[in-house]
Amino acid sequence: MSPLLTHLTNLEDATSRFPSRVAFKIPQVNPQTDEIDHWTDITFHQFLLDIEHLTRYWFHVLKETSGIPQRSVITLCFGGYKYLDIVHVYAISRAGYIPQLINIFPNADYSVIQGPLEQANARAFIYESVYNDIIRDIPIPCFTSVTVVHPNDYPLPDLPHVTGSDIAVIYQTSGTTSGKSKIIPLNYTWLDGNVRKMTKAHLNPGNVDTVSWRGSIGYIAQFNNLPHILHGPIQIWPASTSELVDIIDRCKTRQLFSYPHFLREHLRASRTNPETLRALSSVDVITYTGGSFGSDEDEEWAWKNGINLVNAYGTTECGVLLISEGLRKSRQNYLKPLLGSSFVQFIPISSDSELLELVIPPEAPECPGVSFRSSDGNYHTNDLFREVEPGNYVFCGRNDDWFIMHNCSLCDTKAIEDNARSLCGDIISDCVVVGNGHPSPVLVVEAYSPLSHSTVNPVLNESELKTKIYHRIRPFHSSRYPHERIDSPDMIFVVPLGTLPRTVTKATVRRRVVEETMKEKLDKLFSGNA
């Protein structure tokens, strides 16, 4: 039986083959201008040395000083965008511990993380200094993270023996669906499968490509992205659109990773900024994941201008499972099982439905632990697809994207949202459908511009905005069943820009929270008292 592959073996292999190759490009920001002056290169050899230095230090602190045995859970709380954040994750693993990654706002209360800490039975808490206020309530040993790596003479510990069923790392979900994060323990079998799969899936095997940072190391998407380290440097910087062109040019970035909400902003900027368009068109691939792109108009713009969008589908529990070929190969950009994801299954949700749920059987390396599986032994993602061609799929949202309306019929909220984003992207920044269990859905939109309370002001007032949106989306809704139709401007609610509740990492609108917030208004609308 071949040995289990991990993020550590992945790095050791890369370092032995090309120690002087650049692993990371780190921005050096001018404190006066808050702009990037230059980039510092970190080689594979230096990365491994830094990990070993921190491994020695933390093993001394945790085991030799505090008596915390190896294979204990150590919680790490960072912003997740710094080079040393990554070094800490690797070092805690290399010291023989199980890292639990938590990502929260600096001013969050202990109650926000109390559940995940207790569920994981964490034995120590390592935190970035910005989280100082939270530690006074934490009942386990707390240590501030290292800000500078110093060589030391502490011994490098041996790794404890592990099996495939042992836990390797613990992550948290972003709370996209429920609005509440939960912990996901991932074992070594899962980690082995993920490393093998992501290495095979690299778009340009053998090439040295600079790829962009996907997001905080506190979330699984970036951890899954680290097998790219075998092939080229990772540029660590959460780029805004204004910084994107400079980063692509100076770092020669060939692959970008983004979430749909942020990618739409970059694409819309490229419509009016030729340099942004040139930069986006120059990269080999822009991969987005974490939700539906949701705008045919933006995707059409990308296709016509040679911007190679690739759609990837994955979950915290399973990693990446499906990926498209990219717009340069296929205008349809349908999803297909990722190379190495041969176990995935698409199961009809009912005998009379075209909708298929993506299900992971227990024999699949991506299948999470037993506690996450259903009574049939499978892991049910609750994500729905349609097979539009043999082996080609379109994402149709989650089970909670399909409302059961007042008449017990289904309503596809994702289709309504995608249509509104596509037709009204110039006047709304985002939208979400609510109204589960009611006679009809309601569209909640964020207005781009402040609304006028005057009927003569050139800026739209709320009534005019609702009417304008309704006239644009009416042709789409006229062909839908009454229970899934927005059939008047009254069924459009307007909220100020930036007020829809979103998850931290993906900026995905939290539908259930909006539904709860709007409950009284919805009840009035459908009772005839609005």
Side-chain angles (χ1 to χ4, degrees):
M1 183 176 179
S2 58
L4 294 167
L5 298 185
T6 70
H7 52 308
L8 298 175
T9 62
N10 177 273
L11 172 61
E12 291 167 359
D13 178 61
T15 305
S16 66
R17 288 197 285 151
F18 26 74
S20 61
R21 183 181 288 182
V22 176
F24 294 98
K25 301 182 81 69
I26 313 300
Q28 305 302 315
V29 180
N30 186 316
Q32 277 73 45
T33 64
D34 202 31
E35 295 180 352
I36 300 173
D37 275 346
H38 62 280
W39 295 78
T40 299
D41 292 344
I42 304 290
T43 65
F44 286 106
H45 176 67
Q46 185 61 53
F47 182 36
L48 184 59
L49 280 181
D50 290 341
I51 290 169
E52 290 180 347
H53 290 321
L54 275 195
T55 296
R56 292 182 173 96
Y57 170 78
W58 282 115
F59 184 76
H60 172 75
V61 170
L62 297 171
K63 177 68 166 64
E64 297 179 351
T65 303
S66 303
I68 300 173
Q70 288 180 311
R71 298 295 302 147
S72 298
V73 175
I74 307 299
T75 301
L76 306 177
C77 188
F78 307 128
Y81 287 95
K82 297 175 182 176
Y83 167 67
L84 281 181
D85 295 348
I86 308 166
V87 176
H88 271 85
V89 175
Y90 276 69
I92 294 301
S93 290
R94 178 60 187 84
Y97 293 95
I98 304 170
Q100 177 190 22
L101 282 298
I102 284 184
N103 191 289
I104 56 173
F105 290 115
N107 59 353
D109 294 328
Y110 169 59
S111 60
V112 175
I113 62 170
Q114 181 178 1
L117 257 67
E118 292 176 351
Q119 290 175 54
N121 192 26
R123 296 290 303 275
F125 186 80
I126 299 174
Y127 64 98
E128 195 176 352
S129 59
V130 294
Y131 297 99
N132 275 328
D133 290 345
I134 203 174
I135 65 165
R136 61 178 179 269
D137 297 318
I138 296 180
I140 55 178
C142 296
F143 308 94
T144 53
S145 60
V146 174
T147 56
V148 178
V149 177
H150 295 293
N152 58 72
D153 296 325
Y154 300 128
L156 189 66
D158 293 330
L159 279 167
H161 174 73
V162 294
T163 65
S165 61
D166 288 326
I167 301 302
V169 61
I170 300 175
Y171 264 89
Q172 64 180 120
T173 65
S174 62
T176 300
T177 306
S178 64
K180 184 178 181 180
S181 177
K182 61 179 182 291
I183 68 165
I184 308 292
L186 302 169
N187 63 29
Y188 278 94
T189 297
W190 181 95
L191 186 56
D192 173 81
N194 180 68
V195 171
R196 294 178 191 274
K197 181 171 61 177
M198 293 304 292
T199 301
K200 288 179 182 178
H202 190 269
L203 293 169
N204 298 303
N207 288 3
V208 182
D209 290 340
T210 301
V211 301
S212 71
W213 197 240
R214 178 170 293 192
S216 170
I217 192 66
Y219 288 104
I220 195 66
Q222 183 55 55
F223 187 78
N224 280 341
N225 201 35
L226 286 173
H228 278 287
I229 198 172
L230 278 172
H231 305 281
I234 296 178
Q235 154 254 315
I236 305 181
W237 189 251
S240 65
T241 301
S242 61
E243 296 166 325
L244 200 59
V245 174
D246 181 61
I247 287 174
I248 291 172
D249 290 344
R250 279 207 277 178
C251 295
K252 295 180 171 52
T253 305
R254 307 310 307 156
Q255 298 183 46
L256 297 176
F257 293 93
S258 187
Y259 292 111
H261 177 78
F262 304 117
L263 180 54
R264 285 196 297 269
E265 292 180 359
H266 297 327
L267 288 175
R268 288 170 184 176
S270 74
R271 293 173 180 268
T272 56
N273 188 322
E275 281 297 288
T276 302
L277 177 59
R278 176 197 59 78
L280 293 179
S281 302
S282 72
V283 300
D284 293 336
V285 61
I286 303 174
T287 302
Y288 66 92
T289 186
S292 168
F293 193 59
S295 173
D296 290 337
E297 183 180 355
D298 287 332
E299 192 169 55
E300 181 77 8
W301 167 262
W303 175 67
K304 288 182 176 178
N305 288 276
I307 300 173
N308 191 27
L309 301 185
V310 169
N311 181 11
Y313 163 85
T315 70
T316 302
E317 297 84 352
C318 303
V320 180
L321 298 170
L322 310 173
I323 197 165
S324 70
E325 293 182 315
L327 286 178
R328 289 180 188 162
K329 288 188 177 181
S330 169
R331 171 62 188 92
Q332 288 74 30
N333 220 15
Y334 296 140
L335 289 165
K336 300 180 180 182
L338 185 69
L339 183 65
S341 297
S342 56
F343 290 94
V344 299
Q345 299 175 357
F346 292 89
I347 308 298
I349 63 171
S350 66
S351 58
D352 59 349
S353 175
E354 295 181 351
L355 292 174
L356 309 170
E357 183 191 6
L358 181 60
V359 175
I360 312 300
E363 63 269 21
E366 301 93 344
C367 192
V370 175
S371 62
F372 292 92
R373 302 174 193 174
S374 299
S375 57
D376 61 4
N378 298 319
Y379 174 69
H380 289 257
T381 65
N382 290 318
D383 287 329
L384 306 178
F385 298 81
R386 281 196 178 93
E387 188 173 23
V388 289
E389 294 176 1
N392 292 273
Y393 299 89
V394 172
F395 179 60
C396 297
R398 296 185 59 85
N399 266 341
D400 68 335
D401 288 338
W402 289 77
F403 285 172
I404 298 178
M405 305 307 289
H406 185 68
N407 64 355
C408 298
S409 297
L410 290 176
C411 174
D412 182 0
T413 65
K414 179 178 176 295
I416 298 173
E417 292 162 358
D418 289 351
N419 172 258
R421 292 189 188 106
S422 179
L423 299 180
C424 306
D426 59 327
I427 53 177
I428 66 171
S429 71
D430 212 339
C431 62
V432 65
V433 171
V434 296
N436 190 27
H438 287 85
S440 300
V442 168
L443 180 66
V444 183
V445 303
E446 277 188 349
Y448 255 131
S449 302
L451 296 175
S452 168
H453 297 289
S454 167
T455 57
V456 297
N457 193 301
V459 177
L460 291 175
N461 61 39
E462 181 173 328
S463 176
E464 291 168 335
L465 177 64
K466 291 165 64 170
T467 300
K468 191 168 188 175
I469 293 170
Y470 175 66
H471 282 307
R472 291 187 185 182
I473 66 175
R474 184 168 58 179
F476 170 79
H477 286 269
S478 64
S479 61
R480 295 171 67 83
Y481 290 110
H483 70 271
E484 55 179 2
R485 183 189 302 164
I486 305 292
D487 61 7
S488 83
D490 291 337
M491 297 168 69
I492 300 172
F493 295 167
V494 180
V495 298
L497 182 66
T499 58
L500 286 176
R502 289 178 168 85
T503 57
V504 175
T505 302
K506 303 175 189 176
T508 307
V509 178
R510 295 162 59 185
R511 183 193 314 281
R512 292 186 184 180
V513 177
V514 180
E515 185 94 34
E516 293 168 3
T517 304
M518 296 283 180
K519 183 181 184 304
E520 185 176 345
K521 194 170 182 179
L522 286 167
D523 291 344
K524 286 183 178 180
L525 173 67
F526 290 107
S527 67
N529 296 326

